[in-house]
Amino acid sequence: MISSITEAPERAPSWFGMLRRRVLSLLAVILAAVVLALPAQGADVLRLYSGQSPLGDVPAEKRGNNVFVSAGEIVKLLGMQASSKNDTLVVSSGKEKLQLVADAAAAWLGVELVPLAASTVQVKGEWLVEMRSALKLFNALLQRSGKNGSLRWGPGGVLPLPAPPPSSPAPSPTPLPAVVPDPPKPVSTVPEGPIINGLRWGIDDGKIRAVIDFEGPGKPEVKQEAGAVKTTFFLGKGGSPDISSPYGEVKVSSINYGNRIALEFASSLPLKEIIPLESPNRLVIDFSRSGSSAALKETKLPKPAAVPTTPAPPSPRTRKGAKIVVIDAGHGGKDPGAVSNGIREKDVNLAISLLIAKKLKKAGYDARLTRDRDVYLTLQKRTELANNWNADVFMSIHANALPPGRHATGMEIYLMALPTDKDAMQLALIENREIAEGNGETAKAADKKTKMLLNILGNMQQNAKINESTGFAEYLFKYGKAGGIKMRRVAQAPFFVLRGAAMPAVLIETGFLTEKSEARLLNDKKYQDKIAESMTRGIVDYLKNI
């Protein structure tokens, strides 16, 4: 008995210990499962919704005054395809494409440039986009590919951990603002200003009339700048209306800012008057065809006017007389351009430009040269001439060059836009350094301006001409290839010489002077004529088909 009594107390603790261990093990398994089901402790994420359905959490981080989200994670959640090359991320949804460019405050959506709230960031293979801009881009991409574009940020993401107390030696990274995970306001807010319904046209012997129909509170703000009329409206449920002009004398461009659209009417014709009318609301802009230089009049009170009640019948996009083509021979005077293998770029540019102009005139076109001899012109002056002449197309002729150790041959055609790749950006930097010469600045200052231009591309008149410039470039590429010229590519880069051109504009790099064989060709009169013939055919065919 004594023996059994002394053994009982020893077995009791052992039984309780086993039970305790099993309970603790079970709790540990449950806790581990819960922990694994949650995002990493302290991670900053936002939850992405499609309508009312949560899609998943997207990594996010605070940078300056903006919150950036992972574009790669959004792509995964939406089941899209993406590929990254150098400083460009291409996202595909069906046949539609979105291109994000590192350090650029604009993105490609098809052939349209879309301004962003902040520059895209590329960090160790991760692409970060400002959270509001991300919604705008991916919703638009979904809609263009025929899918439901109702993405939004909503509640459910992991809130950042509280900041450590002041005594902590190593503070945690800046957390997202607590307001971010809250449900956002509905996207479809009621505009607080005039909503554009459409644009229609009228014409008679004395004037061309543009009529903008609108509704809603307030009146549109109208500005007159350097022969152009600018006005801004809110967009209705129907989105952007057709703003194409049926008359070559008046050109219209547009830039979209979220739920707003800015219109710019530009013409070589004198601006006669701007008339705001009521019942129904409309804004009438008259351009005089009589050639009078009467000053612009603004009438604030409604008055009767013979405004067409139906859209005017379309007419060919032509002006009286031949279409105007402006050929710009790059560099010149004190600026020789690239010099290699004993050949100066400015000489090759001028020779080819003169030949193109001669052939165009023979074909019945009004070909004009920004320079017809060895003189220096600033980059700004070149496009100013094209705009003042109300040109139908603008072409700037150049020759290419590469640093020692690098080799390439063939013609390249560039349009004014975000760079296709680092080579295109580097070429733009080199070409744009000409502005340093004209303004007494350093090459470093010119490079800074080029990068600034890259950041404001989404806010430029040229934005409205990208589609047309792309078409123009494709015609030139086609005829260059048919003419037996080695065509390398059509690409995009921010060239100052194309900035602000109010017409389709391209920059031609005819070949590489740094390649001995191609330098000899570019200096040969027969090959220069071959280039001029091919480019002329491309210009003529393009102008016949627009």
Side-chain angles (χ1 to χ4, degrees), residues 51-88:
Q52 299 301 316
S53 303
L55 299 178
D57 290 335
V58 178
E61 65 178 71
K62 183 95 174 348
R63 287 175 169 259
N65 295 323
N66 296 303
V67 176
F68 286 76
V69 294
S70 167
E73 190 62 29
I74 296 176
V75 168
K76 291 179 184 177
L77 292 176
L78 297 177
M80 295 179 175
Q81 302 296 319
S83 62
S84 178
K85 181 181 178 182
N86 298 327
D87 56 358
T88 303

Side-chain angles (χ1 to χ4, degrees), residues 22-341:
R22 288 181 180 179
V23 171
L24 289 175
S25 297
L26 181 59
L27 288 174
V29 171
I30 295 172
L31 182 60
V34 172
V35 169
L36 289 173
L38 292 173
Q41 192 69 262
D44 288 329
V45 297
L46 296 178
R47 183 151 294 170
L48 184 64
Y49 283 74
S50 177
Q52 299 301 316
S53 303
L55 299 178
D57 290 335
V58 178
E61 65 178 71
K62 183 95 174 348
R63 287 175 169 259
N65 295 323
N66 296 303
V67 176
F68 286 76
V69 294
S70 167
E73 190 62 29
I74 296 176
V75 168
K76 291 179 184 177
L77 292 176
L78 297 177
M80 295 179 175
Q81 302 296 319
S83 62
S84 178
K85 181 181 178 182
N86 298 327
D87 56 358
T88 303
L89 176 70
V90 180
V91 180
S92 302
S93 178
K95 295 182 179 180
E96 299 297 327
K97 293 185 183 297
L98 165 68
Q99 293 185 59
L100 297 171
V101 179
D103 301 322
W108 275 99
L109 191 56
V111 296
E112 179 187 354
L113 272 176
V114 180
L116 309 180
S119 298
T120 300
V121 178
Q122 184 185 22
V123 183
K124 297 179 180 179
E126 182 66 61
W127 291 82
L128 303 177
V129 184
E130 192 275 331
M131 58 178 290
R132 294 163 299 172
S133 300
L135 288 183
K136 178 170 70 172
L137 291 174
F138 282 97
N139 272 324
L141 183 59
L142 286 169
Q143 290 167 0
R144 288 188 175 208
S145 56
K147 300 175 183 178
N148 181 26
S150 57
L151 302 178
R152 64 181 180 87
W153 300 118
V158 178
L159 293 174
L161 292 175
S167 58
S168 299
S172 63
T174 306
L176 294 176
V179 70
V180 170
D182 292 343
K185 294 180 180 179
V187 175
S188 58
T189 57
V190 178
E192 299 177 355
I195 303 170
I196 187 169
N197 287 331
L199 172 63
R200 49 199 172 93
W201 299 82
I203 190 170
D204 59 32
D205 293 335
K207 60 182 175 290
I208 290 177
R209 168 166 288 181
V211 182
I212 305 173
D213 295 306
F214 66 92
E215 62 181 346
K219 295 182 179 180
E221 181 181 352
V222 181
K223 294 181 180 179
Q224 181 192 1
E225 297 178 5
V229 178
K230 297 181 180 181
T231 183
T232 303
F233 292 87
F234 284 91
L235 290 171
K237 293 181 179 179
S240 300
D242 180 11
I243 64 160
S244 57
S245 169
Y247 308 111
E249 296 97 328
V250 181
K251 297 181 182 294
V252 187
S253 61
S254 69
I255 303 174
N256 283 49
Y257 302 92
N259 65 341
R260 295 191 182 193
I261 184 171
L263 300 178
E264 179 172 332
F265 296 79
S267 177
S268 59
L269 299 176
L271 191 57
K272 188 176 181 181
E273 57 186 345
I274 300 175
I275 314 168
L277 297 173
E278 298 177 353
S279 299
N281 288 331
R282 56 203 187 278
L283 182 69
V284 178
I285 305 173
D286 283 342
F287 294 89
S288 175
R289 303 183 83 195
S290 61
S292 65
S293 56
L296 172 68
K297 299 177 183 179
E298 291 190 38
T299 307
K300 295 185 178 179
L301 296 176
K303 69 176 186 179
V307 180
T309 55
T310 57
S315 61
R317 186 181 158 187
T318 58
R319 65 165 63 79
K320 290 182 179 179
K323 290 186 177 180
I324 298 172
V325 180
V326 174
I327 309 298
D328 171 52
H331 306 281
K334 64 180 181 179
D335 176 20
V339 179
S340 184
N341 290 304

